[in-house]
Amino acid sequence: MKKLGFGLMRLPCIGGDGKNIDLEKVKEMVDLFMEHGYTYFDTAYVYHGGFSEVAFRECVVKRHPRDSFTVTTKLPLFSNPDRAGMEKIFNESMTRLGVDYIDYYWLHALNRGSYQYAVESGAFDYLRELKAAGKIKHMGFSFHDNAETLDKILTEQPDMEFVQLQINYLDWEDKGVQSRLCYETATKHGKPVIVMEPIKGGSLANPPKKAEKLLKDHAPDASCASWAIRFAASLPNVMVVLSGMSELWQVEDNLSYMDDFKPLCEEEYKIIAEAAENIRFAIPCTACRYCTDGCPMSIKIPDIFAAYNTMKHDIHKKHEAREKYAEIVKGGSKADDCIGCEQCVNACPQHLDIPKLLAECAADLS
Ligand code: SF4
Ligand code: SF4
């Protein structure tokens, strides 16, 4: 299988409404992707408030033969569904996707806490039943925690076939994310890895100036994103690297180096390591948006964090960041409208202290 997958979590939208996906634009993007022989698509029950799965049906399922694509979707345990709740979610995903089987079905974003719930609620057994019934072809889980927890899960659930991990060159040695250790743990258990967040929520596509210069000096025509995706795809036990594409030019850029993929050479590894030393994100938010649906104040958390990062990474962009912030909060909640309920904290796979960070954003951006 070609090593590039189409992530359907950052699709182009109309009027800034995450549920109003620009289907005509997505059709162009998926057609180009598939014309080049790529087949792997990754969505989830919760992406785009449920409309990612619907967009996939409209743009791919209704327009391409079933054997020309593979689709992954995910069962969320965020709201602690019981067995009946899991069945409801699965059936809803099948209807939204318009398929009669799912190629890869994952438990979504497991960590220490949700793993415990998955065991107690019978979620793993539910996956096994779906597989035995032919409703899903493969089962596994996406994961956000440390290598020790991953080792425990793979030891206790040895029939899980794949794991989806956050891997990128910045998090490779990160003490919290532990990309390298998690990758090595999955490899030790013989589980192929699907990579998510190879560009760290898009941020490695526009790294700070010094890092960008290092990459551009070596390869002026290569995008910064290409370095990040090639880093993940160069790992031998990686089956697919997901790229959450939002624009046609991003598809074109990805195809330009993945069609005839060449792993990183020794010199490129050195350059990437040096670039990583020059990248520090003020707020390491990956813009996954898991925090936004449950926020009682409807605060646009990742957008506010992006504006804050713009300011912190380039002092000359203070004015631009404040304008961006004013635009984000216009007619809605501001950063300091946060009531500290911590719903978002529990949902955040990056374990960010969101209320505290919002207070800092409010102080600097208002
Ligand atoms: S803590 Fe603040 S930002 Fe988080 S969900 Fe509650 S109100 Fe929203
Ligand atoms: S704050 Fe956390 S949950 Fe929200 S978008 Fe960023 S990484 Fe995702």
Side-chain angles (χ1 to χ4, degrees):
M1 186 193 289
K2 289 196 170 199
K3 271 193 166 182
L4 180 68
F6 200 130
L8 300 161
M9 75 190 304
R10 296 186 178 92
L11 293 171
C13 294
I14 297 166
D17 174 1
K19 294 181 180 175
N20 191 4
I21 296 170
D22 189 336
L23 296 179
E24 293 313 308
K25 223 168 164 179
V26 176
K27 284 176 191 168
E28 253 189 286
M29 292 161 70
V30 298
D31 288 356
L32 180 62
F33 181 75
M34 294 178 77
E35 271 165 29
H36 282 243
Y38 297 87
T39 58
Y40 191 97
F41 291 88
D42 176 83
T43 182
Y45 180 78
V46 296
Y47 291 170
H48 286 277
F51 284 87
S52 169
E53 290 182 329
V54 174
F56 182 75
R57 182 187 69 215
E58 295 302 310
C59 299
V60 178
V61 180
K62 282 188 176 175
R63 302 173 57 251
H64 293 275
R66 181 65 184 91
D67 60 3
S68 66
F69 61 85
T70 57
V71 62
T72 297
T73 191
K74 311 186 191 80
L75 172 62
L77 301 176
F78 312 129
S79 58
N80 294 350
D82 58 12
R83 168 63 189 239
M86 290 177 207
E87 284 175 19
K88 185 171 172 287
I89 291 170
F90 176 78
N91 290 332
E92 215 174 321
S93 280
M94 293 283 271
T95 306
R96 287 177 186 168
L97 290 168
V99 294
D100 52 14
Y101 69 91
I102 289 167
D103 299 277
Y104 300 86
Y105 197 48
W106 305 153
L107 297 183
H108 198 165
L110 285 194
N111 56 30
R112 208 166 319 162
S114 57
Y115 173 60
Q116 205 46 45
Y117 180 76
V119 172
E120 287 161 11
S121 63
F124 286 101
D125 290 335
Y126 182 49
L127 292 194
R128 290 176 185 116
E129 283 172 39
L130 288 172
K131 189 177 171 191
K135 291 182 177 174
I136 65 172
K137 299 288 180 202
H138 301 286
M139 56 189 177
F141 57 93
S142 64
F143 180 77
H144 289 279
D145 208 321
N146 59 25
E148 193 188 338
T149 305
L150 181 60
D151 192 45
K152 177 180 162 68
I153 299 176
L154 290 175
T155 302
E156 293 177 3
Q157 314 294 338
D159 54 347
M160 291 299 114
E161 299 166 89
F162 298 90
V163 280
Q164 185 164 315
L165 299 175
Q166 176 170 328
I167 292 181
N168 57 68
Y169 68 79
L170 197 63
D171 290 329
W172 189 238
E173 298 293 351
D174 183 85
K175 287 189 174 61
V177 181
Q178 299 189 351
S179 283
R180 178 175 62 76
L181 293 174
C182 287
Y183 171 77
E184 288 171 358
T185 301
T187 305
K188 181 183 85 177
H189 283 270
K191 307 299 175 190
V193 171
I194 289 89
V195 173
M196 58 184 159
E197 305 294 3
I199 315 180
K200 207 168 166 59
S203 49
L204 296 178
N206 295 296
K209 280 205 167 64
K210 206 168 167 191
E212 184 184 10
K213 186 173 181 321
L214 280 164
L215 304 180
K216 287 288 179 193
D217 281 353
H218 180 79
D221 295 333
S223 64
C224 293
S226 72
W227 285 82
I229 290 186
R230 285 181 61 224
F231 174 84
S234 297
L235 294 163
N237 188 35
V238 163
M239 183 175 87
V240 178
V241 178
L242 300 174
S243 175
M245 294 172 262
S246 312
E247 300 283 348
L248 188 62
W249 67 262
Q250 293 170 339
V251 184
E252 290 165 346
D253 182 47
N254 283 343
L255 300 182
S256 72
Y257 56 87
M258 289 304 287
D259 275 355
D260 181 23
F261 174 67
K262 289 189 181 55
L264 292 177
C265 66
E266 209 173 309
E267 189 190 359
E268 289 171 320
Y269 272 116
K270 281 186 192 150
I271 293 166
I272 245 179
E274 202 181 336
E277 281 173 23
N278 286 285
I279 302 174
R280 293 287 169 272
F281 292 113
I283 302 178
C285 166
T286 62
C288 67
R289 308 196 85 84
Y290 296 173
C291 54
T292 52
D293 274 356
C295 175
M297 303 306 290
S298 303
I299 297 173
K300 292 178 177 166
I301 301 164
D303 306 312
I304 294 172
F305 288 171
Y308 185 79
N309 279 344
T310 300
M311 181 179 70
K312 289 289 170 183
H313 298 158
D314 187 345
I315 194 70
H316 303 297
K317 292 192 173 167
K318 200 167 186 173
H319 182 65
E320 183 189 318
R322 285 188 169 155
E323 277 186 348
K324 205 166 148 188
Y325 174 71
E327 191 58 34
I328 293 163
V329 301
K330 198 171 159 188
S333 293
K334 300 191 292 300
D336 53 5
D337 287 327
C338 171
I339 55 170
C341 66
E342 300 210 336
Q343 289 220 45
C344 54
V345 178
N346 299 327
C348 179
Q350 309 304 319
H351 314 295
L352 300 178
D353 187 346
I354 294 171
K356 182 167 165 266
L357 291 168
L358 281 175
E360 288 169 25
C361 293
D364 283 359
L365 290 169
S366 303

